[in-house]
Every structure is written in structure tokens, then in C-alpha cells.
Amino acid sequence: MGQVLREGRIGGLVEKYEAVRLMEKKAFYRVLDANLNRACEGLRVLEDVARFVLEDALLTERIRGARHELRRVIVYLSGEELLAARDVGRDSGANYLETPHPDAAALITANLRRVQEALRVLEETARCLNPEVVGGLKRLRFLFYELEQDFARRVKKMDKVTLLQGPKLYVIVGTAHTASRPVLDVVREAIRGGAGIIQLREKELPARAFYELAQALRELTREAGVPLIINDRVDVAAAVGADGVHLGQEDLR
């Protein structure tokens, strides 16, 4: 009789353990399902931004390839169990209000983070269900660290183009145009007066003096958020990090 009771208790414990395991497994699949959807949605946003906003065919193709690769990796997990585990009604985050994105750069940053974080959660959760897919998820996550750099370079380029297209007041300065007043003082006043672009034009200054003036103007204009263009001197423009170079017809020959 005692043996039967002990076996009954053990059997009951095993059943409870199996029930807990099933509940835990379903919870893991809920996590996988939510983050798979999150990653795919973020990838789609990034793909469309690369395609329609940045108009970058190569970047678009890389994002599309990553999206397809994610689908290939995740196929090794049970699609039926993923779908069965979904429970939108009990999802406490379903009504979460997201912060609006003020511009394309913010939209890109938010979705890059979204994909990276979702991939990390997928990677960690998959270790409990199917370790075979972990390597593929990890490779995708590191790919997105590279894509983040690609997007940053592309957005920076877009920002420069936008800066140069917008302003209406374009001010050309140099020691020959300031009536003996310091160029920096004139530029400060011009910016306060609404100057949208500053161009440094110097024909007589020695190279060292030109560079030092350009460097000082770069610091001033960067702080003010105003683009700086250097006349003729590509080397000086590159050295100080100017936003552009003005070249005349003679300079292009």
C-alpha cells in the first residue's frame, strides 16, 4: 500500500512538472513570436526607408536579404507552436503608445534598435528551445551592427544635402570683404542676422593663415548649425571638415 502511495505521489509530481514545462515552453514561444514579429516589422520599415527615402538600392537589397535570412533561420522553430502561443488579448504591451519620430534619422535609429534588441531576445530564447538556430540569429545581429554604420553614413550624407538646399541667405566672407573687421566677428553677426550658409573666400592669405581661419570658422559654424563652404581649397575643406567646396570653371580644368 505504501509503495502504491509513493508511486502515486511521484506520478503526481511528474505530471505537475510536465505541466509546468509545457506552460514554460508556451511562454517561450510567445516571446519568440512577439520578437520575430517585431524584428520583421522593423526590417520592413528599414527596407522601405532605404528604398523610398534614402533611395539607396544597395542598402535596400542588404536589408531585404537580412529579412529573408531571418525567415530561413526561424523556419527551424515550429511555426504551429509560435502561432498557437500568440495571445494578443493577454499581452500587456499591446496598447503601448510609442513616441513619434521627428525625422527620418530618428525613424531609422528606432527601428535599428528595435531589430537588434528583438534579435538578441530571439537568440537567447531560442537557446531554450532549439539551440541549432542560435548561430544564425547571432550572425544576423552582428550584421545589423554593420548596417547601423551604413545607415549612419547614408543619413549623414542626406543631412548635408538638406542643409545645402534649404537656406536662402548665402554669405561669402574673407579678409577682403570685411572692411578690416575680424572675419569671425562678421560671421557671428551674419549668423545672428539669419545667414544659412557661410562661404570662406580667400585669395591672398598664406596657406597656414587660411587653414587657421577656416578651422576657427568651422568651429563657429558647427556650433551654430550652419554649413561652411570653402572656396577653391579642397585640401583645407577636407582638413577642417567643411560641408562643401566651391569650385569655379577654372578650378575644374
PDB file of all heavy atoms in Angstrom, residues 190-226:
ATOM      1  N   ALA A 190      26.545  87.808 -39.057  1.00  0.00           N
ATOM      2  CA  ALA A 190      25.793  87.296 -40.203  1.00  0.00           C
ATOM      3  C   ALA A 190      24.882  86.144 -39.780  1.00  0.00           C
ATOM      4  O   ALA A 190      23.720  86.062 -40.195  1.00  0.00           O
ATOM      5  CB  ALA A 190      26.757  86.833 -41.293  1.00  0.00           C
ATOM      6  N   ILE A 191      25.404  85.266 -38.937  1.00  0.00           N
ATOM      7  CA  ILE A 191      24.597  84.133 -38.462  1.00  0.00           C
ATOM      8  C   ILE A 191      23.442  84.633 -37.604  1.00  0.00           C
ATOM      9  O   ILE A 191      22.306  84.169 -37.735  1.00  0.00           O
ATOM     10  CB  ILE A 191      25.479  83.132 -37.688  1.00  0.00           C
ATOM     11  CG1 ILE A 191      26.445  82.434 -38.657  1.00  0.00           C
ATOM     12  CG2 ILE A 191      24.613  82.094 -36.966  1.00  0.00           C
ATOM     13  CD1 ILE A 191      27.472  81.555 -37.980  1.00  0.00           C
ATOM     14  N   ARG A 192      23.731  85.602 -36.735  1.00  0.00           N
ATOM     15  CA  ARG A 192      22.650  86.172 -35.924  1.00  0.00           C
ATOM     16  C   ARG A 192      21.593  86.837 -36.803  1.00  0.00           C
ATOM     17  O   ARG A 192      20.410  86.868 -36.468  1.00  0.00           O
ATOM     18  CB  ARG A 192      23.216  87.194 -34.926  1.00  0.00           C
ATOM     19  CG  ARG A 192      23.862  86.574 -33.702  1.00  0.00           C
ATOM     20  CD  ARG A 192      24.008  87.590 -32.584  1.00  0.00           C
ATOM     21  NE  ARG A 192      24.964  88.641 -32.924  1.00  0.00           N
ATOM     22  CZ  ARG A 192      26.253  88.608 -32.626  1.00  0.00           C
ATOM     23  NH1 ARG A 192      26.750  87.561 -31.975  1.00  0.00           N
ATOM     24  NH2 ARG A 192      27.050  89.598 -32.961  1.00  0.00           N
ATOM     25  N   GLY A 193      22.026  87.347 -37.939  1.00  0.00           N
ATOM     26  CA  GLY A 193      21.098  88.004 -38.860  1.00  0.00           C
ATOM     27  C   GLY A 193      20.359  87.049 -39.782  1.00  0.00           C
ATOM     28  O   GLY A 193      19.552  87.480 -40.607  1.00  0.00           O
ATOM     29  N   GLY A 194      20.652  85.751 -39.682  1.00  0.00           N
ATOM     30  CA  GLY A 194      19.904  84.772 -40.462  1.00  0.00           C
ATOM     31  C   GLY A 194      20.671  84.085 -41.573  1.00  0.00           C
ATOM     32  O   GLY A 194      20.070  83.400 -42.407  1.00  0.00           O
ATOM     33  N   ALA A 195      21.983  84.243 -41.610  1.00  0.00           N
ATOM     34  CA  ALA A 195      22.772  83.569 -42.651  1.00  0.00           C
ATOM     35  C   ALA A 195      22.597  82.060 -42.542  1.00  0.00           C
ATOM     36  O   ALA A 195      22.702  81.486 -41.457  1.00  0.00           O
ATOM     37  CB  ALA A 195      24.242  83.939 -42.525  1.00  0.00           C
ATOM     38  N   GLY A 196      22.332  81.424 -43.689  1.00  0.00           N
ATOM     39  CA  GLY A 196      22.106  79.981 -43.696  1.00  0.00           C
ATOM     40  C   GLY A 196      23.298  79.190 -44.169  1.00  0.00           C
ATOM     41  O   GLY A 196      23.413  77.997 -43.878  1.00  0.00           O
ATOM     42  N   ILE A 197      24.205  79.827 -44.917  1.00  0.00           N
ATOM     43  CA  ILE A 197      25.441  79.185 -45.368  1.00  0.00           C
ATOM     44  C   ILE A 197      26.548  80.234 -45.339  1.00  0.00           C
ATOM     45  O   ILE A 197      26.328  81.387 -45.722  1.00  0.00           O
ATOM     46  CB  ILE A 197      25.322  78.623 -46.804  1.00  0.00           C
ATOM     47  CG1 ILE A 197      24.312  77.477 -46.853  1.00  0.00           C
ATOM     48  CG2 ILE A 197      26.672  78.116 -47.303  1.00  0.00           C
ATOM     49  CD1 ILE A 197      24.187  76.835 -48.220  1.00  0.00           C
ATOM     50  N   ILE A 198      27.714  79.822 -44.880  1.00  0.00           N
ATOM     51  CA  ILE A 198      28.886  80.696 -44.894  1.00  0.00           C
ATOM     52  C   ILE A 198      29.905  80.117 -45.870  1.00  0.00           C
ATOM     53  O   ILE A 198      30.227  78.926 -45.804  1.00  0.00           O
ATOM     54  CB  ILE A 198      29.527  80.808 -43.496  1.00  0.00           C
ATOM     55  CG1 ILE A 198      28.523  81.353 -42.476  1.00  0.00           C
ATOM     56  CG2 ILE A 198      30.783  81.670 -43.550  1.00  0.00           C
ATOM     57  CD1 ILE A 198      28.052  82.767 -42.752  1.00  0.00           C
ATOM     58  N   GLN A 199      30.396  80.972 -46.763  1.00  0.00           N
ATOM     59  CA  GLN A 199      31.470  80.549 -47.673  1.00  0.00           C
ATOM     60  C   GLN A 199      32.702  81.397 -47.400  1.00  0.00           C
ATOM     61  O   GLN A 199      32.636  82.626 -47.399  1.00  0.00           O
ATOM     62  CB  GLN A 199      31.064  80.712 -49.130  1.00  0.00           C
ATOM     63  CG  GLN A 199      32.186  80.312 -50.100  1.00  0.00           C
ATOM     64  CD  GLN A 199      31.786  80.465 -51.553  1.00  0.00           C
ATOM     65  OE1 GLN A 199      30.635  80.229 -51.909  1.00  0.00           O
ATOM     66  NE2 GLN A 199      32.729  80.880 -52.396  1.00  0.00           N
ATOM     67  N   LEU A 200      33.818  80.719 -47.155  1.00  0.00           N
ATOM     68  CA  LEU A 200      35.083  81.413 -46.942  1.00  0.00           C
ATOM     69  C   LEU A 200      35.811  81.534 -48.276  1.00  0.00           C
ATOM     70  O   LEU A 200      36.151  80.529 -48.896  1.00  0.00           O
ATOM     71  CB  LEU A 200      35.951  80.658 -45.933  1.00  0.00           C
ATOM     72  CG  LEU A 200      37.357  81.233 -45.706  1.00  0.00           C
ATOM     73  CD1 LEU A 200      37.292  82.664 -45.179  1.00  0.00           C
ATOM     74  CD2 LEU A 200      38.152  80.338 -44.753  1.00  0.00           C
ATOM     75  N   ARG A 201      36.050  82.787 -48.668  1.00  0.00           N
ATOM     76  CA  ARG A 201      36.734  83.044 -49.941  1.00  0.00           C
ATOM     77  C   ARG A 201      37.977  83.875 -49.660  1.00  0.00           C
ATOM     78  O   ARG A 201      37.886  85.037 -49.277  1.00  0.00           O
ATOM     79  CB  ARG A 201      35.805  83.778 -50.906  1.00  0.00           C
ATOM     80  CG  ARG A 201      36.368  83.975 -52.310  1.00  0.00           C
ATOM     81  CD  ARG A 201      35.316  84.630 -53.193  1.00  0.00           C
ATOM     82  NE  ARG A 201      35.740  84.685 -54.587  1.00  0.00           N
ATOM     83  CZ  ARG A 201      36.460  85.675 -55.110  1.00  0.00           C
ATOM     84  NH1 ARG A 201      36.844  86.701 -54.358  1.00  0.00           N
ATOM     85  NH2 ARG A 201      36.801  85.651 -56.392  1.00  0.00           N
ATOM     86  N   GLU A 202      39.124  83.264 -49.806  1.00  0.00           N
ATOM     87  CA  GLU A 202      40.394  83.942 -49.544  1.00  0.00           C
ATOM     88  C   GLU A 202      41.350  83.698 -50.703  1.00  0.00           C
ATOM     89  O   GLU A 202      41.656  82.558 -51.023  1.00  0.00           O
ATOM     90  CB  GLU A 202      41.020  83.431 -48.239  1.00  0.00           C
ATOM     91  CG  GLU A 202      40.419  84.005 -46.984  1.00  0.00           C
ATOM     92  CD  GLU A 202      40.743  85.481 -46.796  1.00  0.00           C
ATOM     93  OE1 GLU A 202      41.569  86.028 -47.557  1.00  0.00           O
ATOM     94  OE2 GLU A 202      40.161  86.082 -45.887  1.00  0.00           O
ATOM     95  N   LYS A 203      41.804  84.780 -51.306  1.00  0.00           N
ATOM     96  CA  LYS A 203      42.724  84.658 -52.435  1.00  0.00           C
ATOM     97  C   LYS A 203      44.158  85.031 -52.071  1.00  0.00           C
ATOM     98  O   LYS A 203      45.096  84.656 -52.776  1.00  0.00           O
ATOM     99  CB  LYS A 203      42.251  85.559 -53.587  1.00  0.00           C
ATOM    100  CG  LYS A 203      40.898  85.176 -54.166  1.00  0.00           C
ATOM    101  CD  LYS A 203      40.952  83.836 -54.883  1.00  0.00           C
ATOM    102  CE  LYS A 203      39.644  83.524 -55.583  1.00  0.00           C
ATOM    103  NZ  LYS A 203      39.682  82.221 -56.291  1.00  0.00           N
ATOM    104  N   GLU A 204      44.327  85.775 -50.979  1.00  0.00           N
ATOM    105  CA  GLU A 204      45.649  86.325 -50.681  1.00  0.00           C
ATOM    106  C   GLU A 204      46.319  85.698 -49.459  1.00  0.00           C
ATOM    107  O   GLU A 204      47.535  85.769 -49.327  1.00  0.00           O
ATOM    108  CB  GLU A 204      45.536  87.848 -50.459  1.00  0.00           C
ATOM    109  CG  GLU A 204      44.876  88.599 -51.607  1.00  0.00           C
ATOM    110  CD  GLU A 204      45.650  88.454 -52.914  1.00  0.00           C
ATOM    111  OE1 GLU A 204      46.879  88.264 -52.860  1.00  0.00           O
ATOM    112  OE2 GLU A 204      45.020  88.529 -53.983  1.00  0.00           O
ATOM    113  N   LEU A 205      45.561  85.132 -48.554  1.00  0.00           N
ATOM    114  CA  LEU A 205      46.154  84.625 -47.315  1.00  0.00           C
ATOM    115  C   LEU A 205      47.123  83.473 -47.578  1.00  0.00           C
ATOM    116  O   LEU A 205      46.853  82.610 -48.422  1.00  0.00           O
ATOM    117  CB  LEU A 205      45.064  84.129 -46.363  1.00  0.00           C
ATOM    118  CG  LEU A 205      44.339  85.152 -45.491  1.00  0.00           C
ATOM    119  CD1 LEU A 205      43.337  84.431 -44.592  1.00  0.00           C
ATOM    120  CD2 LEU A 205      45.303  85.964 -44.649  1.00  0.00           C
ATOM    121  N   PRO A 206      48.236  83.434 -46.851  1.00  0.00           N
ATOM    122  CA  PRO A 206      49.131  82.270 -46.928  1.00  0.00           C
ATOM    123  C   PRO A 206      48.391  81.012 -46.470  1.00  0.00           C
ATOM    124  O   PRO A 206      47.398  81.085 -45.745  1.00  0.00           O
ATOM    125  CB  PRO A 206      50.270  82.632 -45.961  1.00  0.00           C
ATOM    126  CG  PRO A 206      50.206  84.114 -45.817  1.00  0.00           C
ATOM    127  CD  PRO A 206      48.761  84.484 -45.961  1.00  0.00           C
ATOM    128  N   ALA A 207      48.902  79.870 -46.873  1.00  0.00           N
ATOM    129  CA  ALA A 207      48.224  78.596 -46.612  1.00  0.00           C
ATOM    130  C   ALA A 207      47.958  78.369 -45.124  1.00  0.00           C
ATOM    131  O   ALA A 207      46.865  77.944 -44.729  1.00  0.00           O
ATOM    132  CB  ALA A 207      49.049  77.446 -47.180  1.00  0.00           C
ATOM    133  N   ARG A 208      48.955  78.657 -44.286  1.00  0.00           N
ATOM    134  CA  ARG A 208      48.794  78.419 -42.853  1.00  0.00           C
ATOM    135  C   ARG A 208      47.707  79.308 -42.264  1.00  0.00           C
ATOM    136  O   ARG A 208      46.847  78.852 -41.498  1.00  0.00           O
ATOM    137  CB  ARG A 208      50.122  78.673 -42.129  1.00  0.00           C
ATOM    138  CG  ARG A 208      50.084  78.398 -40.631  1.00  0.00           C
ATOM    139  CD  ARG A 208      49.936  76.915 -40.363  1.00  0.00           C
ATOM    140  NE  ARG A 208      49.778  76.629 -38.952  1.00  0.00           N
ATOM    141  CZ  ARG A 208      49.635  75.409 -38.458  1.00  0.00           C
ATOM    142  NH1 ARG A 208      49.640  74.365 -39.272  1.00  0.00           N
ATOM    143  NH2 ARG A 208      49.484  75.216 -37.168  1.00  0.00           N
ATOM    144  N   ALA A 209      47.722  80.580 -42.634  1.00  0.00           N
ATOM    145  CA  ALA A 209      46.722  81.517 -42.124  1.00  0.00           C
ATOM    146  C   ALA A 209      45.325  81.146 -42.633  1.00  0.00           C
ATOM    147  O   ALA A 209      44.331  81.255 -41.905  1.00  0.00           O
ATOM    148  CB  ALA A 209      47.079  82.939 -42.536  1.00  0.00           C
ATOM    149  N   PHE A 210      45.256  80.694 -43.884  1.00  0.00           N
ATOM    150  CA  PHE A 210      43.980  80.259 -44.463  1.00  0.00           C
ATOM    151  C   PHE A 210      43.415  79.090 -43.652  1.00  0.00           C
ATOM    152  O   PHE A 210      42.238  79.070 -43.285  1.00  0.00           O
ATOM    153  CB  PHE A 210      44.205  79.833 -45.914  1.00  0.00           C
ATOM    154  CG  PHE A 210      42.943  79.626 -46.711  1.00  0.00           C
ATOM    155  CD1 PHE A 210      42.740  80.287 -47.903  1.00  0.00           C
ATOM    156  CD2 PHE A 210      41.946  78.753 -46.280  1.00  0.00           C
ATOM    157  CE1 PHE A 210      41.579  80.088 -48.648  1.00  0.00           C
ATOM    158  CE2 PHE A 210      40.797  78.546 -47.002  1.00  0.00           C
ATOM    159  CZ  PHE A 210      40.607  79.225 -48.194  1.00  0.00           C
ATOM    160  N   TYR A 211      44.271  78.125 -43.380  1.00  0.00           N
ATOM    161  CA  TYR A 211      43.831  76.947 -42.629  1.00  0.00           C
ATOM    162  C   TYR A 211      43.335  77.335 -41.235  1.00  0.00           C
ATOM    163  O   TYR A 211      42.285  76.860 -40.776  1.00  0.00           O
ATOM    164  CB  TYR A 211      44.973  75.936 -42.509  1.00  0.00           C
ATOM    165  CG  TYR A 211      44.686  74.834 -41.518  1.00  0.00           C
ATOM    166  CD1 TYR A 211      43.842  73.775 -41.846  1.00  0.00           C
ATOM    167  CD2 TYR A 211      45.228  74.883 -40.229  1.00  0.00           C
ATOM    168  CE1 TYR A 211      43.551  72.782 -40.930  1.00  0.00           C
ATOM    169  CE2 TYR A 211      44.939  73.888 -39.308  1.00  0.00           C
ATOM    170  CZ  TYR A 211      44.103  72.845 -39.660  1.00  0.00           C
ATOM    171  OH  TYR A 211      43.806  71.875 -38.746  1.00  0.00           O
ATOM    172  N   GLU A 212      44.077  78.182 -40.549  1.00  0.00           N
ATOM    173  CA  GLU A 212      43.694  78.571 -39.186  1.00  0.00           C
ATOM    174  C   GLU A 212      42.368  79.324 -39.173  1.00  0.00           C
ATOM    175  O   GLU A 212      41.531  79.121 -38.280  1.00  0.00           O
ATOM    176  CB  GLU A 212      44.808  79.416 -38.564  1.00  0.00           C
ATOM    177  CG  GLU A 212      46.070  78.602 -38.267  1.00  0.00           C
ATOM    178  CD  GLU A 212      47.214  79.460 -37.770  1.00  0.00           C
ATOM    179  OE1 GLU A 212      47.076  80.705 -37.810  1.00  0.00           O
ATOM    180  OE2 GLU A 212      48.240  78.889 -37.344  1.00  0.00           O
ATOM    181  N   LEU A 213      42.161  80.194 -40.173  1.00  0.00           N
ATOM    182  CA  LEU A 213      40.892  80.910 -40.258  1.00  0.00           C
ATOM    183  C   LEU A 213      39.747  79.937 -40.563  1.00  0.00           C
ATOM    184  O   LEU A 213      38.669  80.019 -39.963  1.00  0.00           O
ATOM    185  CB  LEU A 213      40.971  81.986 -41.346  1.00  0.00           C
ATOM    186  CG  LEU A 213      39.693  82.788 -41.605  1.00  0.00           C
ATOM    187  CD1 LEU A 213      39.204  83.474 -40.335  1.00  0.00           C
ATOM    188  CD2 LEU A 213      39.920  83.806 -42.728  1.00  0.00           C
ATOM    189  N   ALA A 214      39.998  79.016 -41.480  1.00  0.00           N
ATOM    190  CA  ALA A 214      38.973  78.024 -41.826  1.00  0.00           C
ATOM    191  C   ALA A 214      38.624  77.158 -40.620  1.00  0.00           C
ATOM    192  O   ALA A 214      37.447  76.838 -40.384  1.00  0.00           O
ATOM    193  CB  ALA A 214      39.456  77.154 -42.981  1.00  0.00           C
ATOM    194  N   GLN A 215      39.630  76.783 -39.840  1.00  0.00           N
ATOM    195  CA  GLN A 215      39.395  75.961 -38.651  1.00  0.00           C
ATOM    196  C   GLN A 215      38.544  76.711 -37.631  1.00  0.00           C
ATOM    197  O   GLN A 215      37.604  76.156 -37.047  1.00  0.00           O
ATOM    198  CB  GLN A 215      40.730  75.563 -38.022  1.00  0.00           C
ATOM    199  CG  GLN A 215      40.615  74.650 -36.807  1.00  0.00           C
ATOM    200  CD  GLN A 215      40.043  73.289 -37.161  1.00  0.00           C
ATOM    201  OE1 GLN A 215      40.463  72.662 -38.119  1.00  0.00           O
ATOM    202  NE2 GLN A 215      39.064  72.839 -36.400  1.00  0.00           N
ATOM    203  N   ALA A 216      38.849  77.990 -37.431  1.00  0.00           N
ATOM    204  CA  ALA A 216      38.072  78.799 -36.489  1.00  0.00           C
ATOM    205  C   ALA A 216      36.630  78.964 -36.972  1.00  0.00           C
ATOM    206  O   ALA A 216      35.676  78.888 -36.181  1.00  0.00           O
ATOM    207  CB  ALA A 216      38.735  80.163 -36.308  1.00  0.00           C
ATOM    208  N   LEU A 217      36.468  79.166 -38.271  1.00  0.00           N
ATOM    209  CA  LEU A 217      35.115  79.290 -38.827  1.00  0.00           C
ATOM    210  C   LEU A 217      34.350  77.976 -38.723  1.00  0.00           C
ATOM    211  O   LEU A 217      33.137  77.967 -38.491  1.00  0.00           O
ATOM    212  CB  LEU A 217      35.187  79.728 -40.293  1.00  0.00           C
ATOM    213  CG  LEU A 217      35.381  81.225 -40.554  1.00  0.00           C
ATOM    214  CD1 LEU A 217      35.534  81.484 -42.041  1.00  0.00           C
ATOM    215  CD2 LEU A 217      34.210  82.029 -39.994  1.00  0.00           C
ATOM    216  N   ARG A 218      35.061  76.865 -38.910  1.00  0.00           N
ATOM    217  CA  ARG A 218      34.399  75.567 -38.796  1.00  0.00           C
ATOM    218  C   ARG A 218      33.826  75.370 -37.397  1.00  0.00           C
ATOM    219  O   ARG A 218      32.700  74.900 -37.223  1.00  0.00           O
ATOM    220  CB  ARG A 218      35.396  74.449 -39.128  1.00  0.00           C
ATOM    221  CG  ARG A 218      34.895  73.029 -38.883  1.00  0.00           C
ATOM    222  CD  ARG A 218      33.814  72.573 -39.841  1.00  0.00           C
ATOM    223  NE  ARG A 218      32.516  73.208 -39.674  1.00  0.00           N
ATOM    224  CZ  ARG A 218      31.428  72.844 -40.330  1.00  0.00           C
ATOM    225  NH1 ARG A 218      31.466  71.853 -41.195  1.00  0.00           N
ATOM    226  NH2 ARG A 218      30.290  73.482 -40.137  1.00  0.00           N
ATOM    227  N   GLU A 219      34.598  75.734 -36.381  1.00  0.00           N
ATOM    228  CA  GLU A 219      34.120  75.598 -35.002  1.00  0.00           C
ATOM    229  C   GLU A 219      32.914  76.497 -34.755  1.00  0.00           C
ATOM    230  O   GLU A 219      31.938  76.092 -34.115  1.00  0.00           O
ATOM    231  CB  GLU A 219      35.256  75.928 -34.035  1.00  0.00           C
ATOM    232  CG  GLU A 219      36.408  74.911 -34.081  1.00  0.00           C
ATOM    233  CD  GLU A 219      37.580  75.322 -33.209  1.00  0.00           C
ATOM    234  OE1 GLU A 219      37.452  76.342 -32.491  1.00  0.00           O
ATOM    235  OE2 GLU A 219      38.618  74.639 -33.243  1.00  0.00           O
ATOM    236  N   LEU A 220      32.978  77.716 -35.275  1.00  0.00           N
ATOM    237  CA  LEU A 220      31.887  78.666 -35.082  1.00  0.00           C
ATOM    238  C   LEU A 220      30.616  78.206 -35.796  1.00  0.00           C
ATOM    239  O   LEU A 220      29.521  78.203 -35.216  1.00  0.00           O
ATOM    240  CB  LEU A 220      32.313  80.046 -35.603  1.00  0.00           C
ATOM    241  CG  LEU A 220      31.245  81.150 -35.613  1.00  0.00           C
ATOM    242  CD1 LEU A 220      30.734  81.416 -34.211  1.00  0.00           C
ATOM    243  CD2 LEU A 220      31.814  82.426 -36.231  1.00  0.00           C
ATOM    244  N   THR A 221      30.749  77.800 -37.044  1.00  0.00           N
ATOM    245  CA  THR A 221      29.570  77.405 -37.815  1.00  0.00           C
ATOM    246  C   THR A 221      28.993  76.081 -37.337  1.00  0.00           C
ATOM    247  O   THR A 221      27.776  75.878 -37.366  1.00  0.00           O
ATOM    248  CB  THR A 221      29.906  77.302 -39.317  1.00  0.00           C
ATOM    249  OG1 THR A 221      31.027  76.414 -39.499  1.00  0.00           O
ATOM    250  CG2 THR A 221      30.257  78.667 -39.889  1.00  0.00           C
ATOM    251  N   ARG A 222      29.855  75.177 -36.903  1.00  0.00           N
ATOM    252  CA  ARG A 222      29.349  73.897 -36.379  1.00  0.00           C
ATOM    253  C   ARG A 222      28.502  74.129 -35.139  1.00  0.00           C
ATOM    254  O   ARG A 222      27.433  73.534 -34.974  1.00  0.00           O
ATOM    255  CB  ARG A 222      30.508  72.953 -36.061  1.00  0.00           C
ATOM    256  CG  ARG A 222      30.032  71.592 -35.538  1.00  0.00           C
ATOM    257  CD  ARG A 222      31.181  70.678 -35.174  1.00  0.00           C
ATOM    258  NE  ARG A 222      31.864  70.172 -36.353  1.00  0.00           N
ATOM    259  CZ  ARG A 222      33.147  70.381 -36.636  1.00  0.00           C
ATOM    260  NH1 ARG A 222      33.889  71.113 -35.816  1.00  0.00           N
ATOM    261  NH2 ARG A 222      33.692  69.876 -37.720  1.00  0.00           N
ATOM    262  N   GLU A 223      28.976  74.991 -34.262  1.00  0.00           N
ATOM    263  CA  GLU A 223      28.229  75.296 -33.041  1.00  0.00           C
ATOM    264  C   GLU A 223      26.884  75.937 -33.367  1.00  0.00           C
ATOM    265  O   GLU A 223      25.887  75.696 -32.685  1.00  0.00           O
ATOM    266  CB  GLU A 223      29.051  76.229 -32.155  1.00  0.00           C
ATOM    267  CG  GLU A 223      28.415  76.523 -30.812  1.00  0.00           C
ATOM    268  CD  GLU A 223      29.296  77.390 -29.931  1.00  0.00           C
ATOM    269  OE1 GLU A 223      30.516  77.443 -30.182  1.00  0.00           O
ATOM    270  OE2 GLU A 223      28.763  78.010 -29.001  1.00  0.00           O
ATOM    271  N   ALA A 224      26.857  76.734 -34.448  1.00  0.00           N
ATOM    272  CA  ALA A 224      25.621  77.421 -34.833  1.00  0.00           C
ATOM    273  C   ALA A 224      24.725  76.560 -35.717  1.00  0.00           C
ATOM    274  O   ALA A 224      23.583  76.933 -36.000  1.00  0.00           O
ATOM    275  CB  ALA A 224      25.960  78.718 -35.560  1.00  0.00           C
ATOM    276  N   GLY A 225      25.237  75.407 -36.170  1.00  0.00           N
ATOM    277  CA  GLY A 225      24.449  74.549 -37.051  1.00  0.00           C
ATOM    278  C   GLY A 225      24.322  75.097 -38.455  1.00  0.00           C
ATOM    279  O   GLY A 225      23.328  74.861 -39.145  1.00  0.00           O
ATOM    280  N   VAL A 226      25.348  75.822 -38.896  1.00  0.00           N
ATOM    281  CA  VAL A 226      25.335  76.448 -40.221  1.00  0.00           C
ATOM    282  C   VAL A 226      26.419  75.797 -41.087  1.00  0.00           C
ATOM    283  O   VAL A 226      27.566  75.661 -40.650  1.00  0.00           O
ATOM    284  CB  VAL A 226      25.598  77.970 -40.106  1.00  0.00           C
ATOM    285  CG1 VAL A 226      25.756  78.606 -41.484  1.00  0.00           C
ATOM    286  CG2 VAL A 226      24.466  78.634 -39.338  1.00  0.00           C
TER     287      VAL A 226
END
